[in-house]
Amino acid sequence: MSLDYYETLEINRNATDADIKKAYRRLALKFHPSSNTKPGSYEKFIQLGEAYDVLSDLRKKATYDKFGVEGLKGGIPAEFGSGGAWSSKYAYHGNPEKTFKQFFGGDNPFADFYTSDTPLQFGNLQPVVVKTQDSPIERDLHLSLDDLFHGCTKKIKISRRVMNDDGHTSSIKDKILTIDVKSGWKEGTRIIFSKEGDQGPNNIPADIVFIVREKSHPLFVRQHNDLIYKVKISLGMALTGFSVDVQTLDGRLLTIPISDIVHPTYKKELSGEGMPLSQDPSKRGNLIITFDIQFPVSLSTERKHLIKQALDFIQ
């Protein structure tokens, strides 16, 4: 039984070129081996390729319309030609995938059927979707100096959109993210939770990024890995000596004697009493004690005279 190309494409002989393309588009997708594994579907896919190959070409179509499959493949009958059979016999190349890709164009024949909102589906065949990742979601993580000194664990609840099992609808669900704060972390440290943002059918979820923000402390100011401790002293203490008590972040009480003359730029530095180093918490920065010298607001004439005498004696 001869192959009827019009019947194969389910169109009539008056079909236009647009009708032929539309019919092939619909049926080729329906019987493509990736979407239809029923017995006989691949044979149908081959027939569709051959039918389209003939009917989409004006010369082949004209020959087929006038002489049928026999005339197209075997040559024009002798009574219609001056030199016997037509020399240009048609033979389908037999590669329906080649026809399919030539029709749709490129290596992704389903690109024309993809929209940014909804990918169309043909049977079980899914279009190739190039997903892009959403921009990172950044949130501040406020930590005390004690948290950053000792390290701690923070649990943060987030609400995000997740895809349901059907792959098309979504819902809002809560999730607990656990952050293990390491000793010595600094302001600006970034903790990244990969792909924990909102899910969607056509996107890669965003990363959630927490950025360490250091809270102020009543006693210490952090400077890199060092701790700055400021003490108010009188002018008399600055000149005659004194001791400073410092309650450390790890609960120790340090008593530091100051026997030097404390001038306005004087600092007392204690090695290894600062913040732990994040790379090696066994090592620490320094504790730097600075001084705010409280000068008297006013002095009587007598006291000025006494101070002058004392300073003259020192010189």
Side-chain angles (χ1 to χ4, degrees):
M1 182 177 179
S2 298
L3 182 65
D4 186 327
Y5 295 138
Y6 290 99
E7 183 178 318
T8 298
L9 291 177
E10 300 179 5
I11 54 178
N12 59 46
R13 290 183 172 269
N14 296 323
T16 64
D17 184 61
D19 294 333
I20 294 169
K21 285 183 169 62
K22 183 177 180 181
Y24 176 73
R25 180 191 297 266
R26 177 177 62 84
L27 293 171
L29 290 167
K30 179 179 178 181
F31 288 97
H32 191 281
S34 295
S35 62
N36 195 327
T37 57
K38 293 180 180 179
S41 61
Y42 188 67
E43 288 75 12
K44 177 68 173 179
F45 185 61
I46 295 174
Q47 293 172 6
L48 290 167
E50 181 176 337
Y52 178 74
D53 189 58
V54 171
L55 298 183
S56 63
D57 185 287
L58 292 178
R59 183 178 177 184
K60 296 173 189 174
K61 181 176 182 297
T63 303
Y64 171 72
D65 287 344
K66 191 168 185 177
F67 302 109
V69 174
E70 292 77 9
L72 180 67
K73 294 186 175 183
I76 302 171
E79 61 266 26
F80 293 99
S82 59
W86 181 38
S87 58
S88 298
K89 297 179 181 181
Y90 169 74
Y92 183 52
H93 52 66
N95 185 351
E97 285 286 357
K98 178 179 179 181
T99 305
F100 186 79
K101 289 187 177 181
Q102 285 176 342
F103 178 84
F104 288 102
D107 293 330
N108 177 14
F110 297 101
D112 291 342
F113 296 91
Y114 173 73
T115 65
S116 59
D117 297 322
T118 306
L120 301 181
Q121 299 180 16
F122 304 98
N124 295 323
L125 191 63
Q126 293 283 354
V128 177
V129 179
V130 179
K131 294 185 177 182
T132 57
Q133 187 173 22
D134 294 339
S135 299
I137 301 169
E138 297 184 347
R139 296 288 182 269
D140 289 341
L141 177 64
H142 295 278
L143 298 172
S144 69
L145 196 57
D146 292 272
D147 291 335
L148 296 170
F149 183 91
H150 296 286
C152 63
T153 297
K154 297 291 184 180
K155 294 185 179 295
I156 300 174
K157 183 171 74 173
I158 63 169
S159 296
R160 61 176 188 155
R161 186 173 296 280
V162 298
M163 296 301 297
N164 296 327
D165 293 338
D166 60 14
H168 301 290
T169 60
S170 62
S171 55
I172 301 296
K173 292 186 178 179
D174 293 337
K175 183 173 183 177
I176 302 297
L177 300 180
T178 300
I179 300 176
D180 292 320
V181 178
K182 306 300 182 183
S183 297
W185 274 4
K186 297 178 181 178
E187 173 91 9
T189 298
R190 298 167 69 87
I191 307 99
I192 301 173
F193 289 88
S194 179
K195 301 177 184 178
E196 290 289 359
D198 289 340
Q199 299 176 358
N202 302 317
N203 74 305
I204 300 172
D207 294 340
I208 296 181
V209 182
F210 291 95
I211 304 173
V212 171
R213 301 301 180 200
E214 188 177 290
K215 298 178 184 178
S216 61
H217 191 273
L219 298 179
F220 299 104
V221 174
R222 184 178 184 177
Q223 189 176 79
H224 305 297
N225 294 316
D226 297 334
L227 291 175
I228 311 299
Y229 183 80
K230 180 178 283 190
V231 181
K232 288 184 179 181
I233 61 171
S234 66
L235 179 59
M237 294 168 66
L239 296 175
T240 60
F242 57 98
S243 62
V244 178
D245 290 337
V246 180
Q247 187 76 40
T248 65
L249 291 173
D250 55 3
R252 293 174 296 123
L253 180 64
L254 301 180
T255 299
I256 303 106
I258 307 295
S259 56
D260 300 324
I261 300 296
V262 178
H263 51 78
T265 60
Y266 177 85
K267 296 178 181 179
K268 182 71 173 179
E269 190 167 311
L270 281 75
S271 178
E273 293 292 350
M275 291 293 293
L277 275 61
S278 58
Q279 302 89 343
D280 184 359
S282 65
K283 298 179 181 179
R284 290 167 58 173
N286 300 326
L287 172 63
I288 300 172
I289 303 174
T290 62
F291 301 91
D292 181 9
I293 303 171
Q294 305 292 299
F295 285 79
V297 177
S298 61
L299 290 171
S300 66
T301 302
E302 183 182 357
R303 288 187 176 184
K304 287 180 180 180
H305 179 70
L306 291 172
I307 290 172
K308 186 176 184 305
Q309 282 185 322
L311 292 176
D312 287 342
F313 177 77
I314 294 172
Q315 294 175 355

